[in-house]
Amino acid sequence: MGCVSTITYDKFPKQKDENYKFPELAVGSRVAVCYHYDTSKKHLGTVVRDDLEEPYETILKLDNGRYLRGTECQFSYI
């Protein structure tokens, strides 16, 4: 457990949105996900969180309902 200054009861880190310098990378973008750099098998999913400030977390929701942190896989925007 921990504490992050940008996360409180009523505050959350700024997210990449349509105003981000690369709007195609905003939350809601579709991604292809692979594991251990094996691109022969991919899951499809959606970016549900992509922080622009601490803790700089990226979270993906796969189409099969599972959630992954961006550090647990490799992904590319589609």
Side-chain angles (χ1 to χ4, degrees):
M1 290 194 206
C3 296
V4 178
S5 62
T6 57
I7 299 176
T8 66
Y9 177 80
D10 58 356
K11 183 178 168 189
F12 205 70
K14 293 177 185 172
Q15 302 292 299
K16 293 179 184 173
D17 60 15
E18 64 278 350
N19 297 318
Y20 182 60
K21 60 185 173 183
F22 303 109
E24 64 274 12
L25 307 182
V27 170
S29 297
R30 297 288 290 159
V31 291
V33 178
C34 69
Y35 312 90
H36 304 281
Y37 303 97
D38 178 5
T39 58
S40 67
K41 299 178 209 166
K42 295 180 184 177
H43 282 120
L44 298 179
T46 305
V47 178
V48 294
R49 175 176 166 181
D50 203 358
D51 300 345
L52 285 172
E53 56 189 9
E54 188 182 12
Y56 302 103
E57 188 75 59
T58 299
I59 299 178
L60 312 170
K61 181 181 181 186
L62 301 180
D63 290 351
N64 65 15
R66 294 182 177 177
Y67 288 83
L68 288 170
R69 293 172 44 210
T71 58
E72 298 171 329
C73 61
Q74 294 78 49
F75 65 94
S76 59
Y77 293 89
I78 53 175

